[in-house]
Amino acid sequence: MTKAFFLACLAASGLCLMLASPVWGAGRQLTAGVNFRQEFDSNASRSKENAASQWTSILEPFAHLRLSTARRSLTLRYAPGLTYNHRLDDLRLDHRLRAHATLALTSLLTLEAREAYTKTDDSATSPEQETATTLPVALSPDRARRRYWQNTFDVDLAWKIARDSTLTFGYQHAILDNRSLDTSDYQRHEPSLSLAYRWNPQWSGQLDVQHTIGDFDQEDDLVRHATTGRLFYHLDAHRQIFFDVSRSVTDYDTGPDYETASFRLGYHAQLSATTSLTASAGWSVAEQAGGDDRDGFSYTLDFQRSLTQKASLLLAGEGGFTGQEFNGNYDGLSRFRSVAATVRLALAPRVDATCGVRLRQDTYFGRQEGKKERAYEGNAGLSWRMTRWYTLGLQYAYRRLDNSPPTNEYTDHRLLLRISFTRDIWRG
């Protein structure tokens, strides 16, 4: 509770100082409100044999601050959630903090920083989705529902070295703390370097280098070095063909170490003002010390289209080899495949609907040799803007997890009713 009080005081103090500062001129806006959510979880224990249903009531006030000028910008959202668990007769305080700031130091240098903090007991897919860019590192779907906090901070310094050419220095720090169970707690440090360079109207390239240090409380510490190179041939202003190659080397303190590499040929096109496509396909390999080498098909897909002014479609997918040490279970090397689809519709002037599905399969090697995990997810929701300030929402989420060998399997249904009040408090 002391940390929560300190966090709230710090956010309030910073908010007052930023609003009072004259450097922001007229580009200031403060939005505040409150969400009340009533949620039903059919399987809060995440268990196949001993499923326990649960009702939860959440009262979540929030404040959203936007500050901007020609040279700097800041968005800050803080939402403490007073959460009552009816099954356990337990009252707790959750936290969600998101921040994003940019500062143009000169005409060629830009500084950008992002912060994402979450404290809750729910690591599963929520009916109330956040965008992937605002979330900390995704956690494994076979984790039990238990208390944890997670924080990710990253900062980038971008130097525009020429037209359409940028050199970026970055650093990210991530923390996972499982509170009562610390077997997979960690701190992750990740400095990075990225160079995007345009030689001429037809050719450009990009080189990304990342160095990751994983410091785990109970598990094996690791060091990972990853390099990705991409070469673009621009057919015209809206279409590119590209070839990318990547290599990643992971060294554990005690092993078994492994390397992964991939080679893909891709295509990007802005097909129209409402349609874009990025797709690539190729081959991936994984080499593990003391084990068998593996290879397989590798791909990425991102298709977005606005069907009408009232509807949009998103298709996404990815497959290859990846390391899953930071997912809260320390699963290690995995061959994975995933596909996802989301449809958004405006059913009426004040009524919106969403529907989505996602499938992912992981086959683990090394530390989790022989483990196979298949996650099936679906969600649907309705949102009704009753008045200018009030919104009523109803959302449903489904998840099924199948494992081989059959451990930690479960099926979960979640239903959420939300009433929201949002209003602009102040504009400067």
Side-chain angles (χ1 to χ4, degrees):
M1 186 64 69
T2 302
K3 290 183 180 179
F5 178 75
F6 173 76
L7 182 64
C9 290
L10 182 63
S13 301
L15 181 64
C16 294
L17 289 173
M18 288 182 289
L19 285 175
S21 175
V23 302
W24 297 104
R28 292 173 287 185
Q29 180 181 352
L30 176 63
T31 302
V34 61
N35 293 322
F36 176 75
R37 306 198 302 271
Q38 186 67 40
E39 180 180 333
F40 172 75
D41 189 338
S42 71
N43 192 352
S45 58
R46 305 289 184 262
S47 170
K48 183 176 182 179
E49 304 298 335
N50 301 302
S53 61
Q54 174 176 296
W55 285 94
T56 306
S57 300
I58 305 105
L59 183 65
E60 184 184 69
F62 65 88
H64 192 176
L65 176 68
R66 302 178 185 88
L67 304 174
S68 64
T69 67
R71 295 177 58 86
R72 58 179 66 88
S73 68
L74 171 67
T75 60
L76 174 66
R77 190 182 193 278
Y78 175 58
L82 190 62
T83 303
Y84 179 67
N85 186 322
H86 295 264
R87 179 174 67 93
L88 302 178
D89 191 22
D90 175 57
L91 184 66
R92 68 174 189 270
L93 186 62
D94 293 344
H95 298 277
R96 294 184 186 274
L97 174 68
R98 302 290 185 264
H100 183 201
T102 60
L103 173 61
L105 301 174
T106 69
S107 60
L108 301 178
L109 283 176
T110 302
L111 185 67
E112 184 173 8
R114 291 169 292 272
E115 169 79 12
Y117 174 82
T118 299
K119 185 176 183 180
T120 182
D121 74 334
D122 185 11
S123 63
T125 302
S126 171
E128 192 170 43
Q129 293 288 331
E130 297 181 77
T131 61
T133 56
T134 65
L135 284 173
V137 178
L139 300 180
S140 170
D142 67 0
R143 285 168 47 94
R145 187 164 182 167
R146 60 177 183 266
R147 195 84 168 142
Y148 76 98
W149 68 267
Q150 191 177 24
N151 188 81
T152 303
F153 170 77
D154 58 90
V155 58
D156 295 323
L157 178 63
W159 174 30
K160 187 176 181 180
I161 57 178
R163 183 180 179 181
D164 297 329
S165 300
T166 305
L167 179 63
T168 304
F169 304 90
Y171 172 75
Q172 184 182 90
H173 180 231
I175 303 176
L176 175 65
D177 188 331
N178 282 291
R179 311 302 293 162
S180 60
L181 185 63
D182 61 356
T183 55
S184 56
D185 291 357
Y186 63 78
Q187 291 196 51
R188 188 186 69 193
H189 304 270
E190 191 172 271
S192 62
L193 179 67
S194 178
L195 173 62
Y197 192 81
R198 186 76 173 258
W199 290 283
N200 54 50
Q202 284 74 43
W203 292 97
S204 66
Q206 183 168 333
L207 177 66
D208 298 314
V209 179
Q210 294 176 326
H211 184 74
T212 304
I213 301 173
D215 183 7
F216 293 83
D217 286 359
Q218 301 291 332
E219 305 289 355
D220 201 6
D221 294 342
L222 66 85
V223 174
R224 174 176 295 144
H225 183 78
T227 304
T228 301
R230 180 173 290 185
L231 183 64
F232 297 88
Y233 179 74
H234 299 260
L235 301 171
D236 52 42
H238 304 291
R239 299 179 301 151
Q240 302 105 43
I241 297 174
F242 61 87
F243 174 74
D244 70 36
V245 55
S246 64
R247 182 174 182 264
S248 174
V249 179
T250 301
D251 293 327
Y252 294 114
D253 275 357
T254 60
D257 304 334
Y258 65 87
E259 300 181 15
T260 63
S262 69
F263 314 87
R264 287 193 293 256
L265 182 65
Y267 176 73
H268 169 76
Q270 187 68 44
L271 301 175
S272 68
T274 59
T275 306
S276 67
L277 168 68
T278 302
S280 66
W283 207 252
S284 293
V285 296
E287 300 178 359
Q288 186 172 325
D292 297 332
D293 296 345
R294 295 174 172 86
D295 56 16
F297 181 63
S298 175
Y299 68 94
T300 63
L301 171 66
D302 187 331
F303 176 78
Q304 302 181 42
R305 183 175 184 182
S306 297
L307 304 173
T308 66
Q309 292 184 346
K310 297 183 178 181
S312 64
L313 171 66
L314 169 64
L315 299 176
E318 188 174 5
F321 292 94
T322 187
Q324 297 272 41
E325 291 84 5
F326 298 101
N327 67 352
N329 277 353
Y330 203 87
D331 286 321
L333 178 62
S334 161
R335 172 188 285 159
F336 74 100
R337 296 194 298 267
S338 69
V339 292
T342 301
V343 177
R344 294 182 174 88
L345 301 170
L347 302 180
R350 292 180 177 270
V351 180
D352 297 323
T354 61
C355 181
V357 294
R358 179 175 178 268
L359 310 176
R360 180 178 173 112
Q361 177 176 304
D362 286 90
T363 302
Y364 294 97
F365 311 107
R367 295 178 176 275
Q368 299 286 351
E369 186 72 40
K371 175 184 175 182
K372 293 185 179 181
E373 183 178 272
R374 294 171 298 278
Y376 309 86
E377 299 177 2
N379 63 81
L382 288 173
S383 179
W384 173 34
R385 296 183 299 279
M386 296 182 290
T387 67
R388 180 180 178 184
W389 300 320
Y390 290 91
T391 303
L392 178 66
L394 179 64
Q395 294 163 305
Y396 166 77
Y398 167 84
R399 168 178 279 173
R400 175 182 166 186
L401 186 68
D402 293 339
N403 285 336
S404 176
T407 59
N408 299 326
E409 294 185 323
Y410 66 87
T411 300
D412 187 26
H413 302 269
R414 301 179 66 180
L415 189 65
L416 184 146
L417 176 66
R418 183 186 74 245
I419 301 175
S420 300
F421 170 78
T422 304
R423 186 170 183 178
D424 289 340
I425 302 299
W426 182 77
R427 288 177 181 265

